[in-house]
Amino acid sequence: MRSRILGTAVIIGLLIPMGATAQAATAPPDQIALPAGFQPEGIAAGPGPVAFVSSRSSGAIYRADLETGKGTVINKGPGTPSLGMETLGDKLYVAGGRAGDARTLDAKTGEVLQNFKLTDKASFINDVVVTKEGAWYTDSTNPTLYMTPLDGCGPVTTLPLTGDIVYKDGFNANGITMAPDGHSLLLIQSNAGKLFKVDPATGVTKAVDLHGEVLTAGDGLYADGTTAYAVQNQLNTVAVIELNADATEGKIVKKLTDPRFDVPTSVAQAGDRLYLPNARFNTKPAPDTPYDVISVQP
């Protein structure tokens, strides 16, 4: 039996504020199941309450409704990896890992709009950020950024990285995002645990002073104004970094973790929540291995 008393619902003898019941009924899920065996790596959010998750095995792209947690594969992939991603309008930009390529997809249909061969060298195209100039891709093997035109017309721009960054064995440049000035780029070097500011006109890098902190196992990177979120995959942690206006220095002000994290690799923001896919690198993949995306409050 249910009755109403001054805007309060009485349910089986319990007083529950009406706003709380409405909020509980519409609260988005904080855990989204992915197809079994999917092997996720990258994530991108929007426009609207949707997220796209990439597969590092098949290259498939899964689109999830963040309000319901349900979704579908919109592109089966080329059989080579899909890694870091970003959306702009109705386009989805995808880094191609060891295939040395990048793809632009229609975010609604999953149709491949453009394919770009970024390099013929052995490479690992790891992540992407979209600016007004184009889509910039990191290479974890070669000290180079690649830019593809947003309209799909014109050549690929190759930008050698110089300055403070020093490539060595293992994964180098990984996650990439915009700096607070809206022009420069920020990238994380996984094997050094360092954050760098990059001039996209010259390729010159400057280490961001983190006051002795090291971003061990740094992977995905996302910035919202002067706040940057750096995923530390094997540590099951997201470092929250407050940067100064010109991103020459930053301070880790918080470390986010969750018992449900299982080697998250990348991060996207939708509304007031962060979304991270669990790559589960420490679990041997099989066709029936479960994978998911975890949502947390920043």
Side-chain angles (χ1 to χ4, degrees):
M1 182 180 73
R2 176 173 176 170
S3 62
R4 297 177 185 272
I5 303 175
L6 298 176
T8 300
V10 181
I11 304 177
I12 316 179
L14 296 178
L15 289 175
I16 302 176
M18 290 296 294
T21 60
Q23 184 178 8
T26 59
D30 61 4
Q31 186 170 7
I32 298 172
L34 298 172
F38 191 75
Q39 297 186 52
E41 208 283 342
I43 190 167
V50 297
F52 301 86
V53 185
S54 63
S55 169
R56 65 183 184 273
S57 57
S58 67
I61 306 296
Y62 184 86
R63 182 175 60 207
D65 185 320
L66 299 180
E67 293 181 335
T68 66
K70 298 180 179 180
T72 187
V73 172
I74 62 169
N75 186 287
K76 293 183 178 179
T80 53
S82 291
L83 302 181
M85 300 184 297
E86 184 155 308
T87 56
L88 179 65
D90 59 359
K91 291 184 177 180
L92 178 66
Y93 299 83
V94 184
R98 64 177 181 275
D101 63 5
R103 299 181 295 282
T104 306
L105 276 62
D106 185 306
K108 294 180 179 179
T109 67
E111 176 189 0
V112 177
L113 303 176
Q114 286 99 24
N115 275 298
F116 298 95
K117 185 65 175 178
L118 302 183
T119 178
D120 291 322
K121 297 180 181 179
S123 59
F124 198 86
I125 310 304
N126 211 331
D127 204 0
V128 57
V129 64
V130 181
T131 72
K132 62 182 180 180
E133 287 81 19
W136 291 94
Y137 294 85
T138 59
D139 186 340
S140 296
T141 302
N142 304 291
T144 306
L145 296 181
Y146 310 93
M147 186 186 75
T148 62
L150 298 183
D151 60 5
C153 301
V156 173
T157 299
T158 300
L159 183 70
L161 295 175
T162 61
D164 290 347
I165 195 168
V166 177
Y167 269 48
K168 53 186 181 179
D169 290 343
F171 284 94
N172 291 278
N174 194 332
I176 188 169
T177 190
M178 287 292 298
D181 63 12
H183 169 70
S184 304
L185 307 174
L186 293 172
L187 65 81
I188 192 167
Q189 185 180 9
S190 297
N191 50 9
K194 293 182 178 181
L195 188 65
F196 295 90
K197 180 181 177 182
V198 185
D199 184 338
T202 64
V204 174
T205 65
K206 297 288 186 182
V208 178
D209 183 4
L210 297 180
H211 302 281
E213 295 276 8
V214 178
L215 297 172
T216 303
D219 200 331
L221 184 66
Y222 168 75
D224 180 12
T226 57
T227 303
Y229 302 95
V231 181
Q232 297 178 267
N233 56 31
Q234 292 286 355
L235 302 186
N236 290 317
T237 297
V238 181
V240 183
I241 307 166
E242 285 299 328
L243 301 162
N244 61 357
D246 58 3
T248 56
E249 63 178 316
K251 181 180 180 181
I252 296 177
V253 295
K254 187 188 299 184
K255 292 192 176 183
L256 304 174
T257 189
D258 190 287
R260 300 169 300 164
F261 283 170
D262 193 349
V263 195
T265 45
S266 53
V267 59
Q269 186 173 28
D272 63 350
R273 301 192 71 83
L274 301 177
Y275 292 83
L276 301 96
N278 276 324
R280 307 195 69 191
F281 287 150
N282 300 324
T283 299
K284 185 177 180 180
D288 60 350
T289 302
Y291 293 97
D292 57 12
V293 173
I294 300 300
S295 166
V296 296
Q297 289 281 358

